[in-house]
Amino acid sequence: MGEMRIPDFSRARVLVFGDVMLDEYVMGSVGRISPEAPIPVFLRAEHRYMPGGAANVAANAAALGARVTLCGVIGDDAHAGHLRQALAASSPAVTLLAVVDPSRGTTVKTRFIAGGHHVLRVDTETVVPVPDEIGRALVEQLKDAIPRTDVVVVSDYAKGVVVEATFRALIAAASLAGKPVFVDPKRRDFGFYRGADYLTPNRKELHEATGLPVDDDAAVERASQAASSASSAAILVTRSEEGMTLFRSGSPALHLRASPREVFDVSGAGDTVIATFASAMAAGHAPPEAAMLANIAAGISVGKQGASCVSTDELRDALRARDIAGEGRQRLMSLEAAVEQRRRWRESGWSVGFTNGCFDILHGGHVQLLDQVAQNCDRLIVGLNADASVQLLKGPGRPINTAEARARVLLGLRAVDAVVIFEEETPAQLIRALTPDLLAKGGDYRRHEIVGADFVEERGGKVLIVKIVEGFSTTAIIDSARAGKPPSRSRRAAE
């Protein structure tokens, strides 16, 4: 449909496994240089803790409304307590299944920020594989949690938690339960992740894993194909200011452009991407639509300070702004262009609906009809009667508005993705060329009265008759304007 849908994230159950971290932000100011050495003197003012690493992925999924279980390793130290408090404060919907390893401390990234700029980052971490007994405890937790989730997200920061034995056990359990696995990879050998369904590397990680250039769309496609061959997974590449690319074997690559936005802080943007992508698919979105939402969420994330989460309200506001700006809005199309666009939509996994009418004077009945049709498909094409066709149907003096003017008004509606003007008396030729998944008509029509119904159903499509509220009719509006009296009621609103 015209407006990208926000899925019901509350339906999504997400399991996150990986390197759990604590992000500490120390805020202050720098006003002078130290007399002891040519370094700035940082005057501490305040500090705060936030979930980091795999914990930030979990927090992002929870911020969207998903039900989240987080599995990882923490130390037996004060920072583990800070992490639990930070999760409870920012993401109470996250269930933490933490295995405590006394031999290692909780991973902490401490960032010193002055005047809105990072001055220094200090990492406190133990980068060695977890002991075998800790690995076995993780595997038992994963085996218990995977059947009760919709998707599994692996956040691998290469700190020693995502090791070969644990990852292979995770893949086996997910395969047995039929759950897709999403991985944010840090290893250069993507073959390690074989068995996962999706990898979400950034551009630098893709280059390092394949050794191939990633300078433009074509290069990214070639590198993604190599990465996909090595891992057997689909690849969603984050490309900073150039957006994202979704590569799936057997489907055309989908290049998503980033919206122009001031970049304040890239910390945690990759966590936002995989959390949104996986949660949207868990809630029922197809991969292309989930990737589009992840791309928009990433743009919101980099405009915030620190590893901040993105909410559904922020996504909705961004989508509204995107529609108002006209991004992604389709133009008035020729039949040939519409057929090609329909092919691209089909390859992206989207269902296409079709309805038609004169739409001479757009009124509330039209808007209601188009909104209801759009709710039953992913993209909506409207067949619009040409001026001569309207005159043939309606008689002298019609149409009131030209076809181009009527098309511009229709394209101003969020429900409408494309308009095709046709000269014929009926849209039969359009329907046969477009082969829509959904054919819709508004009013009191019966199925046998709808042109193209047999053709669509024979090809596995559906026919929808939208019952509309009485009281709207273009003809009645014109007649009442001429007679100076209220319009008569009609149910055939699309006429």
Side-chain angles (χ1 to χ4, degrees), residues 203-450:
R203 182 165 45 191
K204 179 175 180 288
E205 292 162 348
L206 180 65
H207 167 67
E208 291 177 345
T210 62
L212 297 174
V214 288
D215 301 325
D216 54 31
D217 288 354
V220 168
E221 285 189 40
R222 289 190 292 270
S224 297
Q225 185 172 23
S228 181
S229 297
S231 62
S232 75
I235 309 295
L236 178 64
V237 189
T238 55
R239 301 170 58 187
S240 301
E241 70 280 356
E242 294 180 10
M244 296 183 186
T245 294
L246 175 63
F247 179 88
R248 295 175 294 162
S249 180
S251 298
L254 177 64
H255 301 290
L256 303 171
R257 300 307 172 202
S259 299
R261 185 180 293 269
E262 181 180 1
V263 176
F264 188 85
D265 190 348
V266 297
S267 301
D271 298 336
T272 299
V273 168
I274 195 169
T276 306
F277 184 52
S279 297
M281 288 188 62
H285 267 4
E289 199 167 7
M292 289 180 183
L293 280 179
N295 189 42
I296 294 170
I300 299 171
S301 175
V302 298
K304 298 182 174 186
Q305 185 182 81
S308 301
C309 299
V310 175
S311 69
T312 52
D313 286 342
E314 289 173 314
L315 272 180
R316 191 172 291 108
D317 289 344
L319 286 173
R320 187 178 298 114
R322 174 180 178 270
D323 285 343
I324 291 172
E327 295 178 29
R329 180 58 89 199
Q330 302 298 328
R331 298 176 297 173
L332 174 63
M333 295 183 179
S334 66
L335 177 56
E336 292 75 16
V339 169
E340 174 60 20
Q341 181 64 75
R342 194 264 183 272
R343 181 189 66 79
R344 290 194 292 267
W345 283 336
R346 173 179 285 165
E347 289 175 346
S348 296
W350 289 323
S351 63
V352 176
F354 176 87
T355 191
N356 66 280
C358 299
F359 300 100
D360 194 2
I361 297 178
L362 198 70
H363 53 65
H366 293 137
V367 175
Q368 181 191 58
L369 164 70
L370 295 169
D371 281 345
Q372 291 192 41
V373 177
Q375 290 172 13
N376 288 274
C377 59
D378 295 315
R379 296 292 182 266
L380 175 59
I381 300 175
V382 175
L384 183 65
N385 290 80
D387 294 346
S389 177
V390 176
Q391 186 175 31
L392 183 64
L393 290 169
K394 302 297 183 180
R398 298 286 298 276
I400 300 298
N401 297 295
T402 66
E404 289 73 17
R406 289 180 279 132
R408 283 197 296 271
V409 173
L410 284 169
L411 286 171
L413 302 176
R414 291 182 178 179
V416 179
D417 294 286
V419 172
V420 181
I421 298 174
F422 64 96
E423 300 287 343
E424 300 77 20
E425 185 176 354
T426 75
Q429 180 181 343
L430 265 70
I431 294 169
R432 288 183 174 276
L434 294 170
T435 59
D437 304 295
L438 175 73
L439 175 62
K441 196 67 177 175
D444 55 0
Y445 288 90
R446 297 180 181 179
R447 184 198 159 283
H448 70 272
E449 295 179 306
I450 299 177

Side-chain angles (χ1 to χ4, degrees), residues 187-205:
R187 300 169 186 267
R188 292 192 175 187
D189 178 15
F190 280 6
F192 175 90
Y193 303 111
R194 181 167 289 274
D197 296 276
Y198 296 91
L199 302 187
T200 62
N202 60 33
R203 182 165 45 191
K204 179 175 180 288
E205 292 162 348

Side-chain angles (χ1 to χ4, degrees), residues 18-97:
D19 295 294
V20 173
M21 305 180 194
L22 175 67
D23 283 345
E24 181 181 16
Y25 292 87
V26 183
M27 320 300 291
S29 60
V30 174
R32 62 192 179 93
I33 301 298
S34 171
E36 302 168 355
I39 57 173
V41 175
F42 184 89
L43 181 62
R44 178 192 295 260
E46 60 176 313
H47 79 275
R48 55 192 172 93
Y49 295 109
M50 296 179 66
N56 186 46
V57 176
N60 269 272
L64 293 170
R67 291 170 287 169
V68 186
T69 301
L70 173 61
C71 181
V73 177
I74 59 176
D76 184 14
D77 53 19
H79 286 310
H82 295 318
L83 174 61
R84 292 181 185 276
Q85 292 172 3
L87 271 174
S90 65
S91 309
V94 175
T95 300
L96 176 60
L97 300 178

